Every structure is written in structure tokens, then in C-alpha cells.
Coordinates of all heavy atoms in Angstrom, one line a residue:
M1 N 19.1 -3.0 45.9 CA 20.0 -3.3 44.8 C 19.2 -3.9 43.7 O 18.4 -4.8 43.9 CB 21.1 -4.3 45.4 CG 22.1 -4.6 44.3 SD 23.3 -6.0 44.7 CE 23.8 -5.6 46.4
E2 N 19.6 -3.4 42.5 CA 18.9 -3.9 41.3 C 19.5 -5.3 40.8 O 20.7 -5.4 40.7 CB 19.0 -2.9 40.2 CG 18.1 -3.2 39.0 CD 18.2 -2.1 37.9 OE1 17.9 -1.0 38.3 OE2 18.5 -2.4 36.8
E3 N 18.7 -6.2 40.6 CA 19.2 -7.5 40.2 C 19.4 -7.5 38.7 O 18.6 -6.9 37.9 CB 18.1 -8.6 40.5 CG 18.6 -10.0 40.3 CD 17.6 -11.0 40.7 OE1 16.8 -10.8 41.6 OE2 17.5 -12.1 40.0
N4 N 20.5 -8.1 38.2 CA 20.7 -8.1 36.8 C 19.9 -9.3 36.2 O 20.1 -10.4 36.4 CB 22.2 -8.4 36.5 CG 22.5 -8.4 35.0 OD1 21.6 -8.3 34.2 ND2 23.8 -8.5 34.7
T5 N 18.9 -8.8 35.4 CA 18.0 -9.8 34.8 C 18.2 -10.1 33.3 O 17.4 -10.7 32.7 CB 16.5 -9.4 35.0 OG1 16.3 -8.1 34.4 CG2 16.1 -9.3 36.5
R6 N 19.3 -9.5 32.8 CA 19.6 -9.7 31.4 C 19.8 -11.2 31.1 O 20.6 -11.9 31.8 CB 20.9 -8.9 31.0 CG 21.1 -8.9 29.6 CD 22.2 -7.9 29.3 NE 22.5 -7.8 27.9 CZ 23.3 -8.7 27.3 NH1 23.9 -9.7 27.9 NH2 23.5 -8.6 25.9
R7 N 19.2 -11.7 30.1 CA 19.3 -13.1 29.7 C 20.1 -13.2 28.4 O 20.0 -12.3 27.5 CB 17.9 -13.7 29.5 CG 17.2 -13.8 30.8 CD 15.9 -14.6 30.6 NE 15.3 -14.3 29.3 CZ 14.2 -14.9 28.9 NH1 13.6 -15.9 29.7 NH2 13.6 -14.7 27.8
I8 N 20.8 -14.2 28.3 CA 21.6 -14.5 27.0 C 20.7 -15.2 26.1 O 20.1 -16.2 26.4 CB 22.9 -15.2 27.3 CG1 23.8 -14.4 28.1 CG2 23.5 -15.7 26.0 CD1 25.1 -15.0 28.6
C9 N 20.6 -14.7 24.9 CA 19.9 -15.4 23.8 C 20.9 -16.1 22.9 O 21.5 -15.5 22.1 CB 19.0 -14.5 23.0 SG 18.1 -15.3 21.7
K10 N 21.0 -17.4 23.1 CA 22.0 -18.2 22.4 C 21.8 -18.1 20.9 O 22.7 -17.9 20.1 CB 21.9 -19.6 22.9 CG 22.9 -20.5 22.4 CD 24.0 -20.7 23.4 CE 24.9 -21.8 22.8 NZ 25.8 -21.4 21.7
R11 N 20.6 -18.3 20.4 CA 20.3 -18.4 19.0 C 19.9 -17.0 18.3 O 19.5 -17.0 17.2 CB 19.2 -19.4 18.7 CG 19.5 -20.8 19.3 CD 20.6 -21.4 18.6 NE 20.8 -22.8 19.1 CZ 21.8 -23.6 18.8 NH1 22.7 -23.2 18.0 NH2 21.9 -24.8 19.3
C12 N 20.0 -16.0 19.1 CA 19.5 -14.7 18.5 C 20.5 -14.1 17.5 O 21.7 -14.3 17.7 CB 19.4 -13.7 19.6 SG 17.8 -13.9 20.5
L13 N 20.0 -13.4 16.6 CA 20.7 -12.6 15.7 C 20.5 -11.2 16.2 O 19.6 -10.9 17.0 CB 20.2 -12.7 14.2 CG 20.4 -14.1 13.7 CD1 19.7 -14.2 12.3 CD2 21.8 -14.6 13.6
L14 N 21.3 -10.2 15.7 CA 21.1 -8.8 16.1 C 19.7 -8.3 15.8 O 19.1 -7.6 16.5 CB 22.2 -7.9 15.4 CG 23.6 -8.1 16.0 CD1 24.6 -7.3 15.1 CD2 23.7 -7.6 17.4
R15 N 19.2 -8.8 14.6 CA 17.9 -8.3 14.2 C 16.8 -8.7 15.2 O 15.7 -8.2 15.1 CB 17.6 -8.9 12.8 CG 17.4 -10.4 12.8 CD 16.9 -10.9 11.5 NE 17.9 -10.8 10.4 CZ 17.8 -11.6 9.3 NH1 16.8 -12.5 9.1 NH2 18.7 -11.4 8.3
D16 N 17.1 -9.7 16.0 CA 16.1 -10.2 17.0 C 16.1 -9.3 18.3 O 15.2 -9.4 19.1 CB 16.3 -11.6 17.4 CG 16.3 -12.6 16.2 OD1 15.5 -12.4 15.3 OD2 17.2 -13.5 16.2
L17 N 17.1 -8.5 18.4 CA 17.3 -7.8 19.7 C 16.6 -6.4 19.6 O 16.2 -6.0 18.5 CB 18.8 -7.5 20.0 CG 19.6 -8.8 20.0 CD1 21.1 -8.4 20.3 CD2 19.1 -9.8 21.0
A18 N 16.4 -5.8 20.7 CA 15.8 -4.4 20.7 C 16.7 -3.5 19.9 O 18.0 -3.7 19.8 CB 15.7 -3.9 22.1
E19 N 16.1 -2.5 19.3 CA 16.9 -1.6 18.4 C 18.2 -1.1 19.1 O 19.2 -1.0 18.4 CB 16.0 -0.5 17.9 CG 16.5 0.1 16.6 CD 15.4 1.0 16.0 OE1 14.2 0.6 15.9 OE2 15.7 2.1 15.6
E20 N 18.1 -0.7 20.3 CA 19.2 -0.1 21.0 C 20.4 -1.1 21.2 O 21.5 -0.8 21.6 CB 18.8 0.6 22.3 CG 18.3 -0.3 23.4 CD 16.7 -0.4 23.3 OE1 16.2 -0.2 22.2 OE2 16.1 -0.8 24.3
D21 N 20.1 -2.4 21.1 CA 21.1 -3.4 21.3 C 21.6 -4.0 19.9 O 22.4 -4.9 19.9 CB 20.5 -4.6 22.1 CG 20.1 -4.2 23.5 OD1 20.8 -3.3 24.0 OD2 19.2 -4.8 24.0
Q22 N 21.2 -3.4 18.8 CA 21.6 -3.9 17.5 C 23.0 -3.5 17.0 O 23.4 -3.9 15.9 CB 20.5 -3.6 16.5 CG 19.3 -4.4 16.8 CD 18.3 -4.3 15.6 OE1 18.5 -3.6 14.6 NE2 17.1 -4.9 15.8
K23 N 23.7 -2.8 17.8 CA 25.1 -2.4 17.5 C 25.3 -1.8 16.1 O 26.2 -2.2 15.4 CB 26.0 -3.7 17.6 CG 25.8 -4.6 18.8 CD 26.4 -4.0 20.0 CE 26.2 -5.1 21.2 NZ 26.4 -4.5 22.4
D24 N 24.4 -0.9 15.7 CA 24.6 -0.3 14.4 C 24.6 -1.2 13.3 O 25.3 -1.0 12.3 CB 25.8 0.6 14.4 CG 25.7 1.8 15.3 OD1 24.6 2.3 15.5 OD2 26.7 2.2 15.9
L25 N 23.8 -2.3 13.4 CA 23.8 -3.3 12.3 C 23.6 -2.7 10.9 O 24.3 -3.0 10.0 CB 22.7 -4.3 12.6 CG 22.4 -5.4 11.5 CD1 23.7 -6.2 11.3 CD2 21.2 -6.2 11.9
S26 N 22.6 -1.9 10.8 CA 22.3 -1.3 9.5 C 23.4 -0.5 8.9 O 23.7 -0.5 7.7 CB 20.9 -0.6 9.5 OG 21.0 0.4 10.5
K27 N 24.1 0.2 9.8 CA 25.2 1.0 9.4 C 26.4 0.1 8.8 O 26.9 0.4 7.8 CB 25.7 1.9 10.6 CG 26.8 2.9 10.2 CD 27.2 3.7 11.4 CE 28.3 3.0 12.1 NZ 28.7 3.7 13.3
Y28 N 26.6 -1.0 9.5 CA 27.7 -1.9 9.1 C 27.3 -2.6 7.7 O 28.1 -2.7 6.9 CB 28.0 -2.9 10.1 CG 28.8 -2.4 11.3 CD1 28.2 -2.3 12.6 CD2 30.0 -1.8 11.1 CE1 28.9 -1.8 13.6 CE2 30.8 -1.3 12.2 CZ 30.2 -1.3 13.5 OH 30.9 -0.7 14.5
L29 N 26.0 -2.9 7.6 CA 25.6 -3.6 6.4 C 25.7 -2.6 5.2 O 26.1 -2.9 4.1 CB 24.2 -4.1 6.5 CG 24.0 -5.2 7.6 CD1 22.5 -5.7 7.5 CD2 24.9 -6.4 7.3
A30 N 25.3 -1.4 5.5 CA 25.3 -0.3 4.4 C 26.7 0.0 4.0 O 26.9 0.4 2.8 CB 24.6 0.9 4.9
A31 N 27.7 -0.3 4.8 CA 29.1 0.0 4.5 C 29.7 -1.0 3.5 O 30.7 -0.8 2.9 CB 29.9 0.0 5.7
I32 N 29.0 -2.2 3.3 CA 29.4 -3.2 2.4 C 28.8 -2.8 1.0 O 27.6 -2.7 0.9 CB 29.0 -4.6 2.8 CG1 29.6 -5.0 4.1 CG2 29.3 -5.6 1.7 CD1 29.1 -6.3 4.7
K33 N 29.6 -2.5 0.0 CA 29.2 -2.1 -1.3 C 28.3 -3.1 -2.0 O 28.6 -4.3 -1.9 CB 30.4 -1.7 -2.1 CG 31.1 -0.5 -1.6 CD 32.3 -0.2 -2.6 CE 33.0 1.1 -2.3 NZ 33.6 1.2 -1.0
E34 N 27.3 -2.6 -2.7 CA 26.3 -3.4 -3.4 C 27.0 -4.7 -4.1 O 26.5 -5.8 -3.9 CB 25.5 -2.6 -4.3 CG 24.4 -3.3 -5.0 CD 23.1 -3.3 -4.2 OE1 22.8 -2.2 -3.6 OE2 22.4 -4.3 -4.2
P35 N 28.0 -4.5 -4.9 CA 28.5 -5.6 -5.7 C 29.2 -6.7 -4.7 O 29.4 -7.8 -5.2 CB 29.6 -5.0 -6.6 CG 29.4 -3.5 -6.5 CD 28.6 -3.2 -5.3
D36 N 29.5 -6.2 -3.5 CA 30.2 -7.2 -2.6 C 29.2 -7.9 -1.7 O 29.6 -8.7 -0.8 CB 31.2 -6.4 -1.7 CG 32.3 -5.7 -2.6 OD1 32.6 -6.3 -3.6 OD2 32.8 -4.6 -2.2
R37 N 27.9 -7.6 -1.8 CA 26.9 -8.2 -0.9 C 26.5 -9.6 -1.4 O 26.4 -9.8 -2.7 CB 25.7 -7.3 -0.8 CG 26.0 -6.0 -0.2 CD 24.8 -5.1 -0.2 NE 25.2 -3.8 0.3 CZ 24.4 -2.7 0.2 NH1 23.2 -2.8 -0.4 NH2 24.8 -1.5 0.6
A38 N 26.2 -10.5 -0.5 CA 25.7 -11.8 -0.9 C 24.2 -11.6 -1.4 O 23.5 -10.7 -0.8 CB 25.7 -12.7 0.3
P39 N 23.8 -12.3 -2.4 CA 22.4 -12.2 -2.7 C 21.5 -12.5 -1.5 O 21.9 -13.3 -0.6 CB 22.2 -13.3 -3.8 CG 23.6 -13.6 -4.3 CD 24.5 -13.3 -3.2
E40 N 20.3 -11.9 -1.5 CA 19.4 -12.0 -0.3 C 19.1 -13.5 0.1 O 19.2 -13.8 1.3 CB 18.1 -11.3 -0.6 CG 17.1 -11.3 0.5 CD 17.5 -10.4 1.7 OE1 18.3 -9.6 1.5 OE2 17.0 -10.7 2.8
K41 N 18.9 -14.3 -0.9 CA 18.6 -15.7 -0.6 C 19.8 -16.4 0.1 O 19.6 -17.1 1.0 CB 18.2 -16.5 -1.9 CG 17.8 -17.9 -1.8 CD 17.2 -18.4 -3.1 CE 16.7 -19.8 -3.0 NZ 17.8 -20.8 -2.9
Q42 N 21.0 -16.2 -0.5 CA 22.2 -16.8 0.1 C 22.4 -16.2 1.5 O 22.8 -17.0 2.4 CB 23.4 -16.4 -0.8 CG 24.7 -17.1 -0.3 CD 25.9 -16.7 -1.1 OE1 26.0 -15.5 -1.6 NE2 26.7 -17.6 -1.4
Y43 N 22.2 -15.0 1.7 CA 22.4 -14.3 3.0 C 21.5 -15.0 4.0 O 21.9 -15.4 5.1 CB 22.0 -12.8 2.9 CG 22.2 -12.0 4.2 CD1 23.4 -12.0 4.9 CD2 21.1 -11.3 4.6 CE1 23.5 -11.3 6.0 CE2 21.3 -10.5 5.8 CZ 22.5 -10.5 6.5 OH 22.6 -9.8 7.6
E44 N 20.2 -15.2 3.7 CA 19.3 -15.8 4.6 C 19.6 -17.2 4.9 O 19.4 -17.7 6.0 CB 17.8 -15.6 4.2 CG 17.3 -14.2 4.1 CD 17.4 -13.5 5.5 OE1 17.2 -14.1 6.5 OE2 17.7 -12.2 5.5
E45 N 20.0 -17.9 3.9 CA 20.4 -19.3 4.0 C 21.6 -19.5 5.0 O 21.7 -20.3 5.8 CB 20.7 -20.0 2.7 CG 19.5 -20.3 1.9 CD 19.8 -20.7 0.4 OE1 21.0 -20.6 0.0 OE2 18.8 -21.0 -0.3
R46 N 22.6 -18.6 4.8 CA 23.7 -18.6 5.7 C 23.3 -18.4 7.2 O 23.8 -19.0 8.1 CB 24.7 -17.4 5.3 CG 25.4 -17.7 4.0 CD 26.3 -16.5 3.6 NE 27.2 -16.8 2.5 CZ 28.1 -16.0 2.0 NH1 28.2 -14.8 2.5 NH2 28.9 -16.4 1.1
L47 N 22.4 -17.4 7.4 CA 21.9 -17.1 8.7 C 21.2 -18.3 9.3 O 21.2 -18.5 10.6 CB 21.1 -15.8 8.7 CG 21.9 -14.5 8.4 CD1 21.0 -13.3 8.4 CD2 23.1 -14.4 9.3
L48 N 20.4 -19.0 8.5 CA 19.7 -20.2 9.0 C 20.7 -21.2 9.6 O 20.5 -21.8 10.6 CB 18.9 -20.8 7.9 CG 17.5 -20.2 7.7 CD1 16.8 -20.9 6.5 CD2 16.6 -20.2 8.9
V49 N 21.8 -21.4 8.8 CA 22.9 -22.3 9.3 C 23.5 -21.8 10.6 O 23.6 -22.6 11.5 CB 24.0 -22.4 8.2 CG1 25.1 -23.3 8.7 CG2 23.4 -23.0 6.9
C50 N 23.7 -20.5 10.7 CA 24.3 -20.0 11.9 C 23.3 -20.2 13.1 O 23.8 -20.5 14.2 CB 24.6 -18.5 11.8 SG 26.0 -18.1 10.7
R51 N 22.1 -20.0 12.9 CA 21.1 -20.2 14.0 C 21.1 -21.6 14.5 O 20.8 -21.8 15.7 CB 19.7 -19.9 13.5 CG 19.3 -18.4 13.5 CD 17.8 -18.3 13.4 NE 17.4 -16.9 13.0 CZ 17.1 -16.0 13.9 NH1 17.2 -16.2 15.2 NH2 16.6 -14.8 13.5
E52 N 21.5 -22.6 13.7 CA 21.6 -24.0 14.2 C 22.9 -24.3 14.7 O 23.2 -25.5 15.2 CB 21.2 -24.9 13.0 CG 19.8 -24.7 12.5 CD 18.8 -25.0 13.5 OE1 18.9 -26.0 14.2 OE2 17.8 -24.3 13.7
C53 N 23.9 -23.4 14.7 CA 25.2 -23.7 15.0 C 25.5 -23.5 16.5 O 25.1 -22.5 17.1 CB 26.2 -22.8 14.2 SG 27.9 -23.1 14.6
D54 N 26.2 -24.4 17.2 CA 26.5 -24.3 18.6 C 27.5 -23.1 18.9 O 27.6 -22.7 20.0 CB 27.1 -25.6 19.1 CG 26.1 -26.7 19.2 OD1 24.9 -26.4 19.2 OD2 26.5 -27.9 19.2
L55 N 28.1 -22.6 17.9 CA 29.1 -21.6 18.1 C 28.4 -20.2 18.0 O 29.1 -19.2 18.3 CB 30.2 -21.6 17.0 CG 31.1 -22.9 17.2 CD1 32.0 -23.0 16.0 CD2 31.9 -22.8 18.5
L56 N 27.1 -20.1 17.8 CA 26.5 -18.8 17.8 C 26.0 -18.5 19.2 O 25.3 -19.3 19.8 CB 25.2 -18.9 16.9 CG 24.4 -17.6 16.8 CD1 25.2 -16.5 16.1 CD2 23.1 -17.8 16.2
T57 N 26.5 -17.3 19.7 CA 26.1 -16.8 21.0 C 25.8 -15.4 20.9 O 26.8 -14.6 20.5 CB 27.1 -17.2 22.0 OG1 27.3 -18.6 22.1 CG2 26.7 -16.6 23.4
E58 N 24.6 -14.9 21.2 CA 24.3 -13.5 21.2 C 24.7 -12.9 19.9 O 25.4 -11.8 19.9 CB 24.9 -12.8 22.3 CG 24.2 -13.2 23.7 CD 24.5 -12.2 24.7 OE1 25.7 -11.9 25.0 OE2 23.5 -11.6 25.3
A59 N 24.3 -13.5 18.7 CA 24.6 -12.9 17.4 C 26.0 -13.0 17.0 O 26.4 -12.5 15.9 CB 24.1 -11.5 17.3
T60 N 26.9 -13.5 17.8 CA 28.3 -13.5 17.5 C 28.8 -15.0 17.3 O 28.4 -15.9 18.0 CB 29.1 -13.0 18.8 OG1 28.7 -11.7 19.0 CG2 30.6 -12.9 18.5
C61 N 29.6 -15.1 16.3 CA 30.3 -16.4 16.0 C 31.5 -16.6 16.9 O 32.4 -15.8 16.9 CB 30.7 -16.5 14.6 SG 31.7 -18.0 14.2
L62 N 31.5 -17.6 17.8 CA 32.6 -17.8 18.7 C 33.8 -18.3 18.0 O 34.9 -18.3 18.6 CB 32.2 -18.8 19.8 CG 31.1 -18.3 20.7 CD1 30.8 -19.3 21.8 CD2 31.4 -16.9 21.3
A63 N 33.7 -18.8 16.7 CA 34.9 -19.2 16.0 C 35.7 -18.0 15.5 O 36.9 -18.1 15.4 CB 34.5 -20.1 14.9
C64 N 35.0 -17.0 15.1 CA 35.7 -15.8 14.5 C 35.5 -14.5 15.2 O 36.2 -13.5 14.9 CB 35.3 -15.7 13.0 SG 33.6 -15.2 12.8
G65 N 34.6 -14.5 16.1 CA 34.3 -13.2 16.8 C 33.5 -12.2 16.1 O 33.3 -11.1 16.6
C66 N 33.0 -12.6 14.9 CA 32.2 -11.6 14.1 C 30.7 -11.7 14.5 O 30.2 -12.8 14.9 CB 32.3 -12.0 12.6 SG 33.9 -11.8 12.0
Y67 N 30.0 -10.6 14.3 CA 28.5 -10.7 14.2 C 28.2 -11.4 12.9 O 28.6 -11.0 11.8 CB 27.9 -9.3 14.2 CG 28.0 -8.6 15.6 CD1 28.8 -7.4 15.7 CD2 27.4 -9.2 16.7 CE1 28.9 -6.8 17.0 CE2 27.5 -8.6 17.9 CZ 28.3 -7.4 18.1 OH 28.4 -6.8 19.3
V68 N 27.5 -12.5 13.0 CA 27.2 -13.3 11.8 C 26.5 -12.6 10.7 O 26.7 -12.8 9.6 CB 26.6 -14.7 12.2 CG1 27.5 -15.5 13.0 CG2 25.2 -14.5 12.9
E69 N 25.6 -11.7 11.1 CA 24.8 -11.0 10.1 C 25.7 -10.1 9.2 O 25.4 -9.9 8.1 CB 23.7 -10.1 10.8 CG 22.5 -10.9 11.1 CD 21.8 -10.3 12.3 OE1 22.5 -10.4 13.4 OE2 20.7 -9.8 12.2
I70 N 26.8 -9.6 9.8 CA 27.7 -8.8 9.0 C 28.6 -9.7 8.2 O 28.8 -9.4 7.0 CB 28.5 -7.8 10.0 CG1 27.5 -6.9 10.7 CG2 29.5 -7.0 9.2 CD1 28.0 -6.1 11.9
R71 N 29.1 -10.7 8.8 CA 30.0 -11.6 8.0 C 29.2 -12.2 6.9 O 29.8 -12.3 5.8 CB 30.5 -12.7 9.0 CG 31.6 -13.6 8.3 CD 32.1 -14.6 9.3 NE 33.2 -15.3 8.7 CZ 34.5 -15.0 8.8 NH1 34.8 -14.0 9.6 NH2 35.5 -15.7 8.3
A72 N 28.0 -12.7 7.1 CA 27.3 -13.4 6.1 C 26.8 -12.5 5.0 O 26.5 -13.0 3.8 CB 26.1 -14.1 6.7
Y73 N 26.8 -11.2 5.2 CA 26.4 -10.2 4.2 C 27.4 -10.0 3.1 O 27.0 -9.6 2.0 CB 26.1 -8.9 4.9 CG 25.1 -8.0 4.2 CD1 23.8 -8.4 3.9 CD2 25.6 -6.7 3.8 CE1 23.0 -7.5 3.3 CE2 24.7 -5.8 3.2 CZ 23.4 -6.2 2.9 OH 22.5 -5.4 2.3
A74 N 28.6 -10.3 3.4 CA 29.7 -10.1 2.4 C 29.8 -11.4 1.5 O 30.0 -12.5 2.0 CB 31.0 -9.8 3.1
K75 N 29.6 -11.2 0.2 CA 29.6 -12.3 -0.7 C 30.8 -13.2 -0.6 O 30.7 -14.4 -0.6 CB 29.5 -11.7 -2.1 CG 29.3 -12.7 -3.2 CD 28.9 -12.1 -4.5 CE 29.7 -11.0 -5.0 NZ 29.3 -10.4 -6.2
A76 N 32.0 -12.6 -0.4 CA 33.2 -13.4 -0.4 C 33.5 -14.0 0.9 O 34.4 -14.8 1.1 CB 34.4 -12.5 -0.8
A77 N 32.7 -13.7 2.0 CA 33.0 -14.2 3.3 C 32.7 -15.7 3.4 O 31.9 -16.2 2.6 CB 32.2 -13.5 4.3
R78 N 33.4 -16.4 4.2 CA 33.2 -17.8 4.4 C 33.0 -18.1 5.9 O 33.5 -17.4 6.8 CB 34.4 -18.6 3.9 CG 34.6 -18.5 2.5 CD 33.6 -19.2 1.6 NE 33.8 -19.1 0.2 CZ 33.1 -18.2 -0.6 NH1 32.2 -17.4 0.0 NH2 33.3 -18.1 -1.8
C79 N 32.2 -19.1 6.2 CA 32.1 -19.6 7.6 C 33.5 -20.2 8.0 O 34.0 -21.0 7.3 CB 31.0 -20.7 7.7 SG 31.1 -21.7 9.2
P80 N 34.0 -19.8 9.2 CA 35.3 -20.3 9.6 C 35.3 -21.9 9.8 O 36.4 -22.5 9.9 CB 35.6 -19.6 10.9 CG 34.3 -19.1 11.4 CD 33.5 -18.9 10.2
K81 N 34.1 -22.4 10.0 CA 34.0 -23.9 10.2 C 33.5 -24.6 8.9 O 33.1 -25.7 9.0 CB 33.1 -24.2 11.4 CG 33.6 -23.7 12.7 CD 34.8 -24.5 13.1 CE 35.4 -24.0 14.4 NZ 36.6 -24.7 14.8
K82 N 33.5 -23.8 7.8 CA 33.1 -24.4 6.5 C 31.7 -24.9 6.5 O 31.4 -25.9 5.8 CB 34.1 -25.4 6.0 CG 35.5 -24.9 5.8 CD 36.4 -26.0 5.3 CE 37.8 -25.6 4.8 NZ 38.6 -24.8 5.7
K83 N 30.8 -24.3 7.2 CA 29.4 -24.7 7.2 C 28.6 -23.9 6.1 O 27.5 -24.4 5.8 CB 28.7 -24.4 8.6 CG 29.3 -25.3 9.7 CD 28.6 -25.1 11.0 CE 29.1 -26.1 12.1 NZ 28.2 -26.1 13.3
W84 N 29.1 -22.8 5.6 CA 28.6 -22.2 4.5 C 29.7 -21.4 3.7 O 30.8 -21.3 4.2 CB 27.4 -21.2 4.8 CG 27.6 -20.2 5.9 CD1 27.1 -20.3 7.2 CD2 28.3 -18.9 5.9 NE1 27.4 -19.2 7.9 CE2 28.1 -18.3 7.1 CE3 29.0 -18.3 4.9 CZ2 28.7 -17.1 7.5 CZ3 29.6 -17.0 5.2 CH2 29.4 -16.5 6.5
Ligands
SF4_1 S1 30.9 -21.3 12.8 FE1 29.9 -20.8 10.9 S2 27.8 -21.5 11.1 FE2 28.7 -21.4 13.1 S3 28.1 -19.3 13.9 FE3 30.2 -19.2 13.0 S4 29.8 -18.5 10.9 FE4 27.9 -19.3 11.7

């Protein structure tokens, strides 16, 4: 019997995972139109906050259920806990 050795990466973003586990991240990011995207600096700052947040689990925000990389990419998006 094969033992399940999959580990949960609490602070991981999708970009940290193997390509086959990235859930079409680039496709979802590309679907957000250029004018609606957060500037690169703001995007990375948002993700740094998420990495420090206890609600981040396996790239997902437990407060809203979103992949944080996709949520943070939209300029108008807000953190559900008002952290960014
Ligand atoms: S609550 Fe905010 S800071 Fe925490 S993971 Fe969700 S979006 Fe990121």
C-alpha cells in the first residue's frame, strides 16, 4: 500500500508549487484585464502580507476561499480581514 506523503505547505503560494499543482494560475491571471490589474509592486506587497497571515493555507485564504495570488492581482480587490 502506498503511503500518502503529501505535505501541506502552510505559507506556500501557487507559484511555489510544482507546475502541475498551480491550478492554471497564469490562465486566471491573464483573464484579468490589464487596466484592472494591481501594479506589480502593490501585488508583491499584498502577497508578502498574505505569506505572514495565519489564514493562508496552501495558497488559499481561509477567510474568503480565494487563491491569494489571483485575488491580490485585481487592483480593486481587498483583503477580507483588511490587512491590505
Ligand atoms: S486574510 Fe488577507 S492577508 Fe490573510 S490570507 Fe486572506 S487575503 Fe491574505
Side-chain angles (χ1 to χ4, degrees):
M1 184 189 313
E2 189 175 307
E3 187 179 328
N4 184 355
T5 55
R6 188 172 179 277
R7 295 189 318 178
I8 292 176
C9 179
K10 186 100 172 77
R11 304 292 183 188
C12 279
L13 299 176
L14 288 173
R15 65 171 70 160
D16 302 323
L17 306 179
E19 206 167 309
E20 63 267 23
D21 294 328
Q22 290 190 2
K23 317 282 185 197
D24 292 328
L25 172 63
S26 55
K27 190 178 84 182
Y28 287 115
L29 295 184
I32 298 173
K33 293 183 173 61
E34 184 88 39
D36 298 330
R37 295 176 188 167
E40 182 68 20
K41 185 171 180 285
Q42 181 183 42
Y43 180 55
E44 293 302 327
E45 285 170 355
R46 287 175 169 184
L47 294 179
L48 279 176
V49 174
C50 290
R51 277 196 195 269
E52 296 299 315
C53 179
D54 289 341
L55 293 169
L56 179 68
T57 297
E58 290 198 305
T60 303
C61 171
L62 295 183
C64 65
C66 297
Y67 288 117
V68 294
E69 277 148 296
I70 298 168
R71 188 179 187 94
Y73 202 61
K75 188 166 48 182
R78 297 288 177 262
C79 162
K81 295 294 180 183
K82 299 183 169 51
K83 294 186 177 189
W84 50 258

